[in-house]
């Protein structure tokens, strides 16, 4: 018997075509403050109260809340005086701004920036390049000038990346024992969440965040606690400026932004700067060897097409890039989560 006979193809296509609607429901509820309001209230609230406090129409809010119930983001209790809504556990943990594991900022970045680029996915596939010019009317010749086109946009991006590392950082930093490496450079370390997790896990290390000057300033002033003395900063562009000597270099979600040529150029400079016995840790979402999945990584690779100059790669492809730069004893650890780790030694 053909195993596909049990599949409900119309239902699968229906679910796929409505994926956009599902994510927009979640993004809109986050943006309006639905989950934050319900957390702060400490008790279920009625439709009228929620709509009044958030300044929305009753008819629109009712449909939004009911969709969130259907998505298991809210629970509803029907009383004599109407429907009362409360957060589910997943919303309290991941969708409220105050939670340590909040994904609010990355949701807002996807809703207000990524989706605008994805509107031009057809053009990106035809042309093989990112879509900043169509989406925002700006040149992407300098990729990160386009991505950081305003301080507000840069802060959204950095806060969004920090939210990812709040739930994924520990997995990638403990994939290998990094305790032998005491002086670490986090290249493109952005908002500093991964650096903070690293010094927490490995108290004997120091981490220097190496990033563009305006990124470093924002990280210093708004994202990294000033009392954290084990984190330092280095302003520069690692494609143009020298890379200081260190025991370990962390490149988290860096190589997927660039083509193989630029990746090779950067890794060669990292290898030259690396102390003998040191290494480089790549943190990326790895495609399977036969490129059949994971589907999240395949979608990320399309996102790299519409937003960057790069792509997601297999473990073998990253290993080849590392080997070409001179690194040896290359090991791969799949975490079972969104991001994986690859370690190369000098």
């Amino acid at each position: 018997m053909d195993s596909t006979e049990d599949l409900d193809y119309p239902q699968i296509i229906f679910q796929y075509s409505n994926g956009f609607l599902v994510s927009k429901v979640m993004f809109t509820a986050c943006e309006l403050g639905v989950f934050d309001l319900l957390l702060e209230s400490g008790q279920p609230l009625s439709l009228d109260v929620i709509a009044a406090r958030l300044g929305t129409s009753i008819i629109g809010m009712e449909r939004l809340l009911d969709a969130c119930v259907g998505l298991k983001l809210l629970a509803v209790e029907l009383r004599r005086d109407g429907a009362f809504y409360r957060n589910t556990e997943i919303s309290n943990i991941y969708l409220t701004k105050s939670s340590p594991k909040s994904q609010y900022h990355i949701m807002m970045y996807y809703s207000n920036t990524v989706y605008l680029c994805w509107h031009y996915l057809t053009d990106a596939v035809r042309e093989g390049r990112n879509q900043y010019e169509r989406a925002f009317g700006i040149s992407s010749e300098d990729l990160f000038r386009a991505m950081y086109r305003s301080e507000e946009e840069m802060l959204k991006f950095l806060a969004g990346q920090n939210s990812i590392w709040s739930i994924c950082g520990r997995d990638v930093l403990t994939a290998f024992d990094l305790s032998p490496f005491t002086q670490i450079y986090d290249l493109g370390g952005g908002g500093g969440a991964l650096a903070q997790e690293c010094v927490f896990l490995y108290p004997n290390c120091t981490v220097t965040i190496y990033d563009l000057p305006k990124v470093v300033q924002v990280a210093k002033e708004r994202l990294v606690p000033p009392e954290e003395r084990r984190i330092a900063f280095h302003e520069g562009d690692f494609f143009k400026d020298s890379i200081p000597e260190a025991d370990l270099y962390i490149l988290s979600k860096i190589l997927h932004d660039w083509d193989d040529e630029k990746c090779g150029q950067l890794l060669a400079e990292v290898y030259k700067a690396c102390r003998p016995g040191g290494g480089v840790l790549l943190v990326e979402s790895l495609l399977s060897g036969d490129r059949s999945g994971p589907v999240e990584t395949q979608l990320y690779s399309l996102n790299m097409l519409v937003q960057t100059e790069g792509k997601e790669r297999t473990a073998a492809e990253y290993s080849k890039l590392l080997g070409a730069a001179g690194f040896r004893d290359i090991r791969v650890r799949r975490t079972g989560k969104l991001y994986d780790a690859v370690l190369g030694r000098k």
Side-chain angles (χ1 to χ4, degrees):
M1 182 189 299
D2 187 344
S3 61
T4 62
E5 288 182 6
D6 295 331
L7 297 178
D8 186 345
Y9 284 127
Q11 183 65 18
I12 291 172
I13 295 301
F14 180 77
Q15 289 175 349
Y16 287 175
S17 64
N18 280 283
F20 168 80
L21 307 182
V22 170
S23 55
K24 276 308 264 186
V25 166
M26 182 168 59
F27 295 165
T28 300
C30 281
E31 186 170 354
L32 290 173
V34 170
F35 306 115
D36 294 314
L37 174 64
L38 290 172
L39 177 66
E40 292 162 6
S41 74
Q43 60 183 355
L45 296 178
S46 69
L47 165 64
D48 290 356
V49 168
I50 295 171
R53 291 192 186 175
L54 297 180
T56 74
S57 68
I58 290 178
I59 189 172
M61 181 55 70
E62 181 178 36
R63 296 181 193 187
L64 179 65
L65 296 176
D66 287 346
C68 286
V69 170
L71 294 173
K72 313 301 183 189
L73 301 177
L74 294 178
V76 63
E77 177 186 348
L78 297 179
R79 303 177 183 175
R80 289 183 178 178
D81 50 346
F84 284 72
Y85 299 86
R86 62 175 173 81
N87 285 344
T88 57
E89 183 180 14
I90 191 172
S91 298
N92 276 335
I93 295 174
Y94 297 110
L95 301 181
T96 57
K97 292 179 192 174
S98 60
S99 170
K101 295 184 180 295
S102 174
Q103 298 301 294
Y104 170 85
H105 293 292
I106 195 66
M107 299 283 181
M108 292 302 93
Y109 183 73
Y110 266 74
S111 181
N112 298 316
T113 299
V114 174
Y115 266 34
L116 295 180
C117 291
W118 273 71
H119 180 74
Y120 300 100
L121 177 60
T122 303
D123 298 288
V125 171
R126 285 192 180 119
E127 299 165 2
R129 63 186 181 90
N130 69 61
Q131 296 299 305
Y132 274 100
E133 192 164 345
R134 282 194 175 91
F136 304 107
I138 54 175
S139 170
S140 60
E141 186 174 338
D142 183 331
L143 178 60
F144 276 85
R145 180 175 292 179
M147 291 182 70
Y148 297 157
R149 58 195 173 275
S150 69
E151 184 171 336
E152 178 187 8
E153 189 68 18
M154 180 174 63
L155 187 58
K156 275 196 302 184
F157 178 81
L158 296 177
Q161 296 306 303
N162 274 6
S163 67
I164 291 173
W165 299 130
S166 72
I167 58 173
C168 299
R170 180 167 299 228
D171 294 317
V172 296
L173 291 173
T174 57
F176 301 98
D177 178 13
L178 303 182
S179 59
F181 307 109
T182 56
Q183 186 178 7
I184 300 173
Y185 264 71
D186 187 0
L187 301 184
L194 201 62
Q196 292 178 72
E197 186 69 22
C198 192
V199 297
F200 175 79
L201 293 169
Y202 302 102
N204 294 324
C205 81
T206 61
V207 179
T208 300
I209 296 171
Y210 185 132
D211 216 314
L212 299 171
K214 59 184 178 181
V215 174
V216 166
Q217 288 305 118
V218 169
K220 274 184 181 179
E221 295 170 6
R222 306 181 67 168
L223 299 172
V224 177
E227 63 272 16
E228 181 49 78
R229 301 299 182 187
R230 292 170 296 170
I231 295 178
F233 297 89
H234 184 106
E235 297 182 1
D237 179 339
F238 47 63
F239 281 113
K240 299 176 181 176
D241 303 318
S242 62
I243 297 175
E245 184 180 73
D247 300 315
L248 179 72
Y249 300 87
I250 298 175
L251 281 73
S252 58
K253 298 176 63 182
I254 300 297
L255 296 188
H256 76 167
D257 289 336
W258 308 103
D259 61 24
D260 287 354
E261 182 180 355
K262 292 203 80 167
C263 289
Q265 175 188 337
L266 176 57
L267 289 173
E269 292 301 313
V270 170
Y271 183 83
K272 283 196 294 185
C274 186
R275 292 189 179 116
V280 60
L281 179 72
L282 307 183
V283 177
E284 298 285 358
S285 186
L286 296 179
L287 287 167
S288 60
D290 62 2
R291 311 186 77 83
S292 63
V295 66
E296 294 87 357
T297 309
Q298 293 164 330
L299 294 174
Y300 292 162
S301 203
L302 275 175
N303 194 51
M304 294 301 101
L305 175 64
V306 299
Q307 277 205 285
T308 74
E309 299 174 13
K311 62 180 180 178
E312 306 298 349
R313 297 173 172 88
T314 65
E317 287 173 319
Y318 281 117
S319 297
K320 183 178 179 180
L321 288 170
L322 287 170
F327 290 99
R328 297 293 179 264
D329 187 23
I330 298 165
R331 292 179 288 162
V332 177
R333 291 283 188 277
R334 293 186 179 272
T335 66
K337 306 290 181 61
L338 287 176
Y339 295 99
D340 305 299
V342 182
L343 180 67
R345 302 295 294 266
K346 180 174 180 178

